[in-house]
Amino acid sequence: MRKLENSELDRKSIADFKQSEKTPIILILDDIRSLHNIGSVFRTADAFLIEKIYLCGITATPPNKEIHKTALGATETVAWEHSKDVLEVIQNLKAEKITVLAIEQVENAIFLQDFTIEKNKKYALVFGNEVFGVSQEAVAICDGCIEIPQLGTKHSLNISVSAGIVVWDFFKKMKWNL
């Protein structure tokens, strides 16, 4: 095996990215404190051609030097919007017939591996604060909740790790019906 050179990776230009058909997933980041987490989520969103990111509450917005450290330019490709009120964003997306799911540990959550993607459906995924998670108010108005199974002594993951896991799972189910 030989490691590929950057020139062999068939990377899209910013213009090509913006013209590409997007994966029908919207990410909602609510009250995320860590600028590095925000940047990492942008980078994941770029990798999987995610449609849009909503940055809500105290979540910082680009341009920001600390976000850029981990986003590595993804803030220039992925569409994003800031909103003070996550509940308003959720309600607006639901009004557009987008299924909104909180990624959180709640009663009757569906484990990620058991969640079935519906064809021709768009999803919005809500990720919450590093300490408090998705607010109860947001959970209450979502269409459902998905939980990432965790078997060790820690029952929480870094938000950027959670986003990577969930986005990859949704992407592969949408693209390859796995």
Side-chain angles (χ1 to χ4, degrees), residues 22-28 49-54 90 93-94 96-103 110 115-127 143-146 166-167 169-171 173-174:
K22 302 298 184 287
T23 305
I25 297 173
I26 295 167
L27 303 179
I28 303 170
L49 288 169
I50 298 305
E51 188 172 302
K52 187 172 188 175
I53 299 176
Y54 283 94
I90 293 169
L93 293 173
K94 287 177 68 170
E96 294 177 32
K97 305 290 188 240
I98 296 168
T99 300
V100 182
L101 302 166
I103 309 305
I110 299 171
F115 185 79
T116 302
I117 297 288
E118 293 181 43
K119 280 189 173 211
N120 303 315
K121 194 167 217 179
K122 189 181 292 188
Y123 293 92
L125 307 172
V126 183
F127 296 89
D143 295 306
C145 293
I146 293 177
V166 175
V167 167
D169 187 76
F170 269 61
F171 181 82
K173 287 173 180 174
M174 287 176 167

Side-chain angles (χ1 to χ4, degrees), residues 38-178:
I38 297 164
S40 292
V41 172
F42 265 97
R43 198 156 151 194
T44 296
D46 177 277
F48 295 104
L49 288 169
I50 298 305
E51 188 172 302
K52 187 172 188 175
I53 299 176
Y54 283 94
L55 306 168
C56 300
I58 65 165
T59 307
T61 62
N64 183 295
K65 182 174 79 169
E66 294 301 311
I67 292 173
H68 181 72
K69 275 185 185 176
T70 49
L72 294 177
T75 57
E76 303 300 317
T77 56
V78 179
W80 63 272
E81 183 178 327
H82 181 265
S83 175
K84 274 191 173 292
D85 188 359
V86 71
L87 301 178
E88 185 178 309
V89 170
I90 293 169
Q91 290 166 334
N92 289 342
L93 293 173
K94 287 177 68 170
E96 294 177 32
K97 305 290 188 240
I98 296 168
T99 300
V100 182
L101 302 166
I103 309 305
E104 189 57 85
Q105 297 163 326
V106 301
E107 293 175 334
N108 301 313
I110 299 171
F111 281 121
L112 180 59
Q113 72 273 15
D114 297 328
F115 185 79
T116 302
I117 297 288
E118 293 181 43
K119 280 189 173 211
N120 303 315
K121 194 167 217 179
K122 189 181 292 188
Y123 293 92
L125 307 172
V126 183
F127 296 89
N129 178 271
E130 291 91 341
V131 175
F132 303 109
V134 178
S135 72
Q136 181 58 54
E137 295 80 13
V139 165
I141 64 170
C142 284
D143 295 306
C145 293
I146 293 177
E147 181 176 341
I148 301 168
Q150 298 168 64
L151 307 176
T153 61
K154 306 297 176 215
H155 284 268
S156 68
L157 293 167
N158 182 291
I159 186 268
S160 63
V161 172
S162 293
I165 290 168
V166 175
V167 167
W168 165 244
D169 187 76
F170 269 61
F171 181 82
K172 73 179 182 182
K173 287 173 180 174
M174 287 176 167
K175 187 160 177 79
W176 298 298
N177 297 323
L178 299 176

